[in-house]
PDB file of all heavy atoms in Angstrom:
ATOM      1  N   VAL B  55     -28.026  33.679  15.080  1.00  0.00           N
ATOM      2  CA  VAL B  55     -27.311  34.903  14.727  1.00  0.00           C
ATOM      3  C   VAL B  55     -27.110  35.733  15.990  1.00  0.00           C
ATOM      4  O   VAL B  55     -28.033  36.364  16.479  1.00  0.00           O
ATOM      5  CB  VAL B  55     -28.093  35.717  13.680  1.00  0.00           C
ATOM      6  CG1 VAL B  55     -27.342  36.998  13.329  1.00  0.00           C
ATOM      7  CG2 VAL B  55     -28.331  34.889  12.428  1.00  0.00           C
ATOM      8  N   PRO B  56     -25.917  35.698  16.543  1.00  0.00           N
ATOM      9  CA  PRO B  56     -25.661  36.515  17.721  1.00  0.00           C
ATOM     10  C   PRO B  56     -25.541  37.985  17.302  1.00  0.00           C
ATOM     11  O   PRO B  56     -24.878  38.284  16.303  1.00  0.00           O
ATOM     12  CB  PRO B  56     -24.331  35.980  18.250  1.00  0.00           C
ATOM     13  CG  PRO B  56     -23.671  35.342  17.070  1.00  0.00           C
ATOM     14  CD  PRO B  56     -24.737  34.949  16.100  1.00  0.00           C
ATOM     15  N   TYR B  57     -26.209  38.855  18.022  1.00  0.00           N
ATOM     16  CA  TYR B  57     -26.104  40.258  17.643  1.00  0.00           C
ATOM     17  C   TYR B  57     -26.029  41.130  18.892  1.00  0.00           C
ATOM     18  O   TYR B  57     -26.263  40.661  20.005  1.00  0.00           O
ATOM     19  CB  TYR B  57     -27.288  40.696  16.749  1.00  0.00           C
ATOM     20  CG  TYR B  57     -28.577  40.928  17.480  1.00  0.00           C
ATOM     21  CD1 TYR B  57     -29.007  42.232  17.772  1.00  0.00           C
ATOM     22  CD2 TYR B  57     -29.378  39.868  17.880  1.00  0.00           C
ATOM     23  CE1 TYR B  57     -30.199  42.453  18.446  1.00  0.00           C
ATOM     24  CE2 TYR B  57     -30.571  40.081  18.557  1.00  0.00           C
ATOM     25  CZ  TYR B  57     -30.977  41.369  18.839  1.00  0.00           C
ATOM     26  OH  TYR B  57     -32.142  41.581  19.506  1.00  0.00           O
ATOM     27  N   ALA B  58     -25.658  42.357  18.676  1.00  0.00           N
ATOM     28  CA  ALA B  58     -25.582  43.305  19.784  1.00  0.00           C
ATOM     29  C   ALA B  58     -26.344  44.560  19.394  1.00  0.00           C
ATOM     30  O   ALA B  58     -26.607  44.803  18.220  1.00  0.00           O
ATOM     31  CB  ALA B  58     -24.132  43.638  20.087  1.00  0.00           C
ATOM     32  N   VAL B  59     -26.732  45.321  20.362  1.00  0.00           N
ATOM     33  CA  VAL B  59     -27.540  46.511  20.116  1.00  0.00           C
ATOM     34  C   VAL B  59     -26.885  47.731  20.748  1.00  0.00           C
ATOM     35  O   VAL B  59     -26.372  47.658  21.853  1.00  0.00           O
ATOM     36  CB  VAL B  59     -28.946  46.345  20.738  1.00  0.00           C
ATOM     37  CG1 VAL B  59     -29.788  47.572  20.459  1.00  0.00           C
ATOM     38  CG2 VAL B  59     -29.611  45.103  20.216  1.00  0.00           C
ATOM     39  N   VAL B  60     -26.903  48.807  19.994  1.00  0.00           N
ATOM     40  CA  VAL B  60     -26.584  50.102  20.598  1.00  0.00           C
ATOM     41  C   VAL B  60     -27.883  50.896  20.491  1.00  0.00           C
ATOM     42  O   VAL B  60     -28.211  51.430  19.447  1.00  0.00           O
ATOM     43  CB  VAL B  60     -25.469  50.822  19.831  1.00  0.00           C
ATOM     44  CG1 VAL B  60     -25.059  52.092  20.577  1.00  0.00           C
ATOM     45  CG2 VAL B  60     -24.282  49.913  19.621  1.00  0.00           C
ATOM     46  N   ASP B  61     -28.645  50.857  21.543  1.00  0.00           N
ATOM     47  CA  ASP B  61     -29.952  51.514  21.500  1.00  0.00           C
ATOM     48  C   ASP B  61     -29.861  52.853  22.215  1.00  0.00           C
ATOM     49  O   ASP B  61     -30.005  52.945  23.430  1.00  0.00           O
ATOM     50  CB  ASP B  61     -30.996  50.600  22.159  1.00  0.00           C
ATOM     51  CG  ASP B  61     -32.394  51.189  22.039  1.00  0.00           C
ATOM     52  OD1 ASP B  61     -32.527  52.272  21.412  1.00  0.00           O
ATOM     53  OD2 ASP B  61     -33.341  50.567  22.551  1.00  0.00           O
ATOM     54  N   GLN B  62     -29.627  53.897  21.405  1.00  0.00           N
ATOM     55  CA  GLN B  62     -29.520  55.215  22.022  1.00  0.00           C
ATOM     56  C   GLN B  62     -30.881  55.864  22.157  1.00  0.00           C
ATOM     57  O   GLN B  62     -31.043  56.884  22.804  1.00  0.00           O
ATOM     58  CB  GLN B  62     -28.567  56.096  21.212  1.00  0.00           C
ATOM     59  CG  GLN B  62     -27.133  55.713  21.484  1.00  0.00           C
ATOM     60  CD  GLN B  62     -26.179  56.139  20.401  1.00  0.00           C
ATOM     61  OE1 GLN B  62     -26.593  56.389  19.268  1.00  0.00           O
ATOM     62  NE2 GLN B  62     -24.908  56.208  20.743  1.00  0.00           N
ATOM     63  N   SER B  63     -31.854  55.240  21.549  1.00  0.00           N
ATOM     64  CA  SER B  63     -33.207  55.806  21.600  1.00  0.00           C
ATOM     65  C   SER B  63     -33.908  55.393  22.898  1.00  0.00           C
ATOM     66  O   SER B  63     -34.550  56.170  23.554  1.00  0.00           O
ATOM     67  CB  SER B  63     -33.989  55.314  20.382  1.00  0.00           C
ATOM     68  OG  SER B  63     -35.337  55.221  20.663  1.00  0.00           O
ATOM     69  N   ARG B  64     -33.687  54.183  23.279  1.00  0.00           N
ATOM     70  CA  ARG B  64     -34.303  53.590  24.476  1.00  0.00           C
ATOM     71  C   ARG B  64     -35.791  53.967  24.586  1.00  0.00           C
ATOM     72  O   ARG B  64     -36.264  54.422  25.610  1.00  0.00           O
ATOM     73  CB  ARG B  64     -33.566  54.026  25.733  1.00  0.00           C
ATOM     74  CG  ARG B  64     -32.303  53.206  25.957  1.00  0.00           C
ATOM     75  CD  ARG B  64     -31.749  53.385  27.361  1.00  0.00           C
ATOM     76  NE  ARG B  64     -30.316  53.215  27.308  1.00  0.00           N
ATOM     77  CZ  ARG B  64     -29.467  54.210  27.091  1.00  0.00           C
ATOM     78  NH1 ARG B  64     -29.902  55.442  26.934  1.00  0.00           N
ATOM     79  NH2 ARG B  64     -28.175  53.971  27.031  1.00  0.00           N
ATOM     80  N   SER B  65     -36.470  53.761  23.465  1.00  0.00           N
ATOM     81  CA  SER B  65     -37.870  54.174  23.408  1.00  0.00           C
ATOM     82  C   SER B  65     -38.761  52.957  23.264  1.00  0.00           C
ATOM     83  O   SER B  65     -38.273  51.842  23.068  1.00  0.00           O
ATOM     84  CB  SER B  65     -38.062  55.078  22.191  1.00  0.00           C
ATOM     85  OG  SER B  65     -37.675  54.340  21.042  1.00  0.00           O
ATOM     86  N   ALA B  66     -40.030  53.164  23.316  1.00  0.00           N
ATOM     87  CA  ALA B  66     -40.984  52.078  23.112  1.00  0.00           C
ATOM     88  C   ALA B  66     -40.843  51.506  21.719  1.00  0.00           C
ATOM     89  O   ALA B  66     -40.896  50.294  21.511  1.00  0.00           O
ATOM     90  CB  ALA B  66     -42.413  52.596  23.328  1.00  0.00           C
ATOM     91  N   ALA B  67     -40.631  52.400  20.752  1.00  0.00           N
ATOM     92  CA  ALA B  67     -40.540  51.948  19.361  1.00  0.00           C
ATOM     93  C   ALA B  67     -39.339  51.031  19.181  1.00  0.00           C
ATOM     94  O   ALA B  67     -39.433  49.956  18.559  1.00  0.00           O
ATOM     95  CB  ALA B  67     -40.433  53.159  18.436  1.00  0.00           C
ATOM     96  N   SER B  68     -38.195  51.443  19.713  1.00  0.00           N
ATOM     97  CA  SER B  68     -37.009  50.628  19.506  1.00  0.00           C
ATOM     98  C   SER B  68     -37.150  49.294  20.237  1.00  0.00           C
ATOM     99  O   SER B  68     -36.761  48.240  19.741  1.00  0.00           O
ATOM    100  CB  SER B  68     -35.757  51.365  19.971  1.00  0.00           C
ATOM    101  OG  SER B  68     -35.787  51.564  21.372  1.00  0.00           O
ATOM    102  N   THR B  69     -37.758  49.331  21.427  1.00  0.00           N
ATOM    103  CA  THR B  69     -37.967  48.095  22.179  1.00  0.00           C
ATOM    104  C   THR B  69     -38.858  47.147  21.399  1.00  0.00           C
ATOM    105  O   THR B  69     -38.605  45.953  21.305  1.00  0.00           O
ATOM    106  CB  THR B  69     -38.606  48.411  23.549  1.00  0.00           C
ATOM    107  OG1 THR B  69     -37.882  49.482  24.145  1.00  0.00           O
ATOM    108  CG2 THR B  69     -38.571  47.192  24.446  1.00  0.00           C
ATOM    109  N   GLU B  70     -39.885  47.719  20.800  1.00  0.00           N
ATOM    110  CA  GLU B  70     -40.826  46.921  20.014  1.00  0.00           C
ATOM    111  C   GLU B  70     -40.117  46.262  18.837  1.00  0.00           C
ATOM    112  O   GLU B  70     -40.262  45.070  18.569  1.00  0.00           O
ATOM    113  CB  GLU B  70     -41.969  47.834  19.522  1.00  0.00           C
ATOM    114  CG  GLU B  70     -42.711  47.376  18.286  1.00  0.00           C
ATOM    115  CD  GLU B  70     -43.715  46.255  18.567  1.00  0.00           C
ATOM    116  OE1 GLU B  70     -43.967  46.004  19.764  1.00  0.00           O
ATOM    117  OE2 GLU B  70     -44.212  45.631  17.612  1.00  0.00           O
ATOM    118  N   LEU B  71     -39.294  47.039  18.172  1.00  0.00           N
ATOM    119  CA  LEU B  71     -38.579  46.504  17.010  1.00  0.00           C
ATOM    120  C   LEU B  71     -37.649  45.374  17.441  1.00  0.00           C
ATOM    121  O   LEU B  71     -37.600  44.303  16.816  1.00  0.00           O
ATOM    122  CB  LEU B  71     -37.782  47.634  16.343  1.00  0.00           C
ATOM    123  CG  LEU B  71     -36.954  47.206  15.137  1.00  0.00           C
ATOM    124  CD1 LEU B  71     -37.850  46.713  14.004  1.00  0.00           C
ATOM    125  CD2 LEU B  71     -36.071  48.343  14.639  1.00  0.00           C
ATOM    126  N   LEU B  72     -36.918  45.595  18.518  1.00  0.00           N
ATOM    127  CA  LEU B  72     -35.972  44.580  18.965  1.00  0.00           C
ATOM    128  C   LEU B  72     -36.697  43.325  19.450  1.00  0.00           C
ATOM    129  O   LEU B  72     -36.219  42.204  19.264  1.00  0.00           O
ATOM    130  CB  LEU B  72     -35.080  45.139  20.079  1.00  0.00           C
ATOM    131  CG  LEU B  72     -34.104  46.227  19.609  1.00  0.00           C
ATOM    132  CD1 LEU B  72     -33.393  46.854  20.796  1.00  0.00           C
ATOM    133  CD2 LEU B  72     -33.113  45.668  18.613  1.00  0.00           C
ATOM    134  N   ALA B  73     -37.869  43.529  20.034  1.00  0.00           N
ATOM    135  CA  ALA B  73     -38.644  42.371  20.487  1.00  0.00           C
ATOM    136  C   ALA B  73     -39.019  41.503  19.293  1.00  0.00           C
ATOM    137  O   ALA B  73     -39.007  40.276  19.366  1.00  0.00           O
ATOM    138  CB  ALA B  73     -39.892  42.846  21.217  1.00  0.00           C
ATOM    139  N   ARG B  74     -39.366  42.179  18.205  1.00  0.00           N
ATOM    140  CA  ARG B  74     -39.688  41.407  17.000  1.00  0.00           C
ATOM    141  C   ARG B  74     -38.489  40.573  16.549  1.00  0.00           C
ATOM    142  O   ARG B  74     -38.621  39.434  16.111  1.00  0.00           O
ATOM    143  CB  ARG B  74     -40.085  42.344  15.854  1.00  0.00           C
ATOM    144  CG  ARG B  74     -41.523  42.804  15.969  1.00  0.00           C
ATOM    145  CD  ARG B  74     -41.854  43.786  14.862  1.00  0.00           C
ATOM    146  NE  ARG B  74     -43.239  44.221  14.974  1.00  0.00           N
ATOM    147  CZ  ARG B  74     -44.172  43.894  14.061  1.00  0.00           C
ATOM    148  NH1 ARG B  74     -43.861  43.188  13.002  1.00  0.00           N
ATOM    149  NH2 ARG B  74     -45.404  44.303  14.225  1.00  0.00           N
ATOM    150  N   LEU B  75     -37.326  41.167  16.661  1.00  0.00           N
ATOM    151  CA  LEU B  75     -36.101  40.496  16.243  1.00  0.00           C
ATOM    152  C   LEU B  75     -35.861  39.266  17.134  1.00  0.00           C
ATOM    153  O   LEU B  75     -35.609  38.166  16.660  1.00  0.00           O
ATOM    154  CB  LEU B  75     -34.931  41.472  16.391  1.00  0.00           C
ATOM    155  CG  LEU B  75     -33.804  41.362  15.391  1.00  0.00           C
ATOM    156  CD1 LEU B  75     -34.319  41.500  13.976  1.00  0.00           C
ATOM    157  CD2 LEU B  75     -32.773  42.454  15.674  1.00  0.00           C
ATOM    158  N   ASP B  76     -35.970  39.496  18.433  1.00  0.00           N
ATOM    159  CA  ASP B  76     -35.732  38.396  19.365  1.00  0.00           C
ATOM    160  C   ASP B  76     -36.774  37.300  19.218  1.00  0.00           C
ATOM    161  O   ASP B  76     -36.507  36.136  19.484  1.00  0.00           O
ATOM    162  CB  ASP B  76     -35.728  38.916  20.809  1.00  0.00           C
ATOM    163  CG  ASP B  76     -34.534  39.826  21.070  1.00  0.00           C
ATOM    164  OD1 ASP B  76     -33.532  39.658  20.357  1.00  0.00           O
ATOM    165  OD2 ASP B  76     -34.628  40.695  21.959  1.00  0.00           O
ATOM    166  N   GLY B  77     -37.975  37.724  18.781  1.00  0.00           N
ATOM    167  CA  GLY B  77     -39.053  36.755  18.631  1.00  0.00           C
ATOM    168  C   GLY B  77     -38.818  35.737  17.532  1.00  0.00           C
ATOM    169  O   GLY B  77     -39.487  34.698  17.486  1.00  0.00           O
ATOM    170  N   THR B  78     -37.874  35.976  16.646  1.00  0.00           N
ATOM    171  CA  THR B  78     -37.646  35.041  15.550  1.00  0.00           C
ATOM    172  C   THR B  78     -37.016  33.748  16.039  1.00  0.00           C
ATOM    173  O   THR B  78     -37.115  32.714  15.396  1.00  0.00           O
ATOM    174  CB  THR B  78     -36.681  35.627  14.508  1.00  0.00           C
ATOM    175  OG1 THR B  78     -35.471  35.985  15.194  1.00  0.00           O
ATOM    176  CG2 THR B  78     -37.257  36.840  13.834  1.00  0.00           C
ATOM    177  N   GLY B  79     -36.339  33.811  17.149  1.00  0.00           N
ATOM    178  CA  GLY B  79     -35.639  32.613  17.625  1.00  0.00           C
ATOM    179  C   GLY B  79     -34.288  32.437  16.969  1.00  0.00           C
ATOM    180  O   GLY B  79     -33.495  31.602  17.377  1.00  0.00           O
ATOM    181  N   VAL B  80     -34.041  33.192  15.921  1.00  0.00           N
ATOM    182  CA  VAL B  80     -32.776  33.081  15.212  1.00  0.00           C
ATOM    183  C   VAL B  80     -31.779  34.100  15.755  1.00  0.00           C
ATOM    184  O   VAL B  80     -30.627  33.792  16.003  1.00  0.00           O
ATOM    185  CB  VAL B  80     -32.989  33.284  13.693  1.00  0.00           C
ATOM    186  CG1 VAL B  80     -31.652  33.366  12.970  1.00  0.00           C
ATOM    187  CG2 VAL B  80     -33.850  32.174  13.122  1.00  0.00           C
ATOM    188  N   PHE B  81     -32.289  35.293  15.990  1.00  0.00           N
ATOM    189  CA  PHE B  81     -31.408  36.367  16.460  1.00  0.00           C
ATOM    190  C   PHE B  81     -31.288  36.308  17.974  1.00  0.00           C
ATOM    191  O   PHE B  81     -32.288  36.306  18.685  1.00  0.00           O
ATOM    192  CB  PHE B  81     -31.959  37.725  16.021  1.00  0.00           C
ATOM    193  CG  PHE B  81     -31.888  37.911  14.541  1.00  0.00           C
ATOM    194  CD1 PHE B  81     -32.937  37.512  13.719  1.00  0.00           C
ATOM    195  CD2 PHE B  81     -30.744  38.460  13.954  1.00  0.00           C
ATOM    196  CE1 PHE B  81     -32.856  37.657  12.350  1.00  0.00           C
ATOM    197  CE2 PHE B  81     -30.672  38.615  12.579  1.00  0.00           C
ATOM    198  CZ  PHE B  81     -31.723  38.205  11.777  1.00  0.00           C
ATOM    199  N   LYS B  82     -30.066  36.200  18.430  1.00  0.00           N
ATOM    200  CA  LYS B  82     -29.834  36.108  19.878  1.00  0.00           C
ATOM    201  C   LYS B  82     -29.023  37.323  20.310  1.00  0.00           C
ATOM    202  O   LYS B  82     -27.906  37.539  19.826  1.00  0.00           O
ATOM    203  CB  LYS B  82     -29.039  34.842  20.199  1.00  0.00           C
ATOM    204  CG  LYS B  82     -29.785  33.572  19.861  1.00  0.00           C
ATOM    205  CD  LYS B  82     -30.556  33.050  21.064  1.00  0.00           C
ATOM    206  CE  LYS B  82     -31.630  32.042  20.697  1.00  0.00           C
ATOM    207  NZ  LYS B  82     -31.377  31.165  19.585  1.00  0.00           N
ATOM    208  N   ARG B  83     -29.600  38.095  21.225  1.00  0.00           N
ATOM    209  CA  ARG B  83     -28.896  39.287  21.649  1.00  0.00           C
ATOM    210  C   ARG B  83     -27.767  38.897  22.609  1.00  0.00           C
ATOM    211  O   ARG B  83     -28.015  38.321  23.655  1.00  0.00           O
ATOM    212  CB  ARG B  83     -29.847  40.271  22.318  1.00  0.00           C
ATOM    213  CG  ARG B  83     -29.274  41.679  22.287  1.00  0.00           C
ATOM    214  CD  ARG B  83     -30.102  42.649  23.063  1.00  0.00           C
ATOM    215  NE  ARG B  83     -31.511  42.645  22.662  1.00  0.00           N
ATOM    216  CZ  ARG B  83     -32.400  43.488  23.179  1.00  0.00           C
ATOM    217  NH1 ARG B  83     -32.027  44.370  24.089  1.00  0.00           N
ATOM    218  NH2 ARG B  83     -33.653  43.437  22.815  1.00  0.00           N
TER     219      ARG B  83
END
Side-chain angles (χ1 to χ4, degrees):
Chain B
V55 179
Y57 77 102
V59 181
V60 186
D61 185 2
Q62 283 159 339
S63 150
R64 279 194 210 90
S65 58
S68 66
T69 312
E70 156 77 11
L71 178 64
L72 292 172
R74 280 177 180 247
L75 213 56
D76 293 335
T78 56
V80 172
F81 292 89
K82 296 267 163 34
R83 201 186 307 184

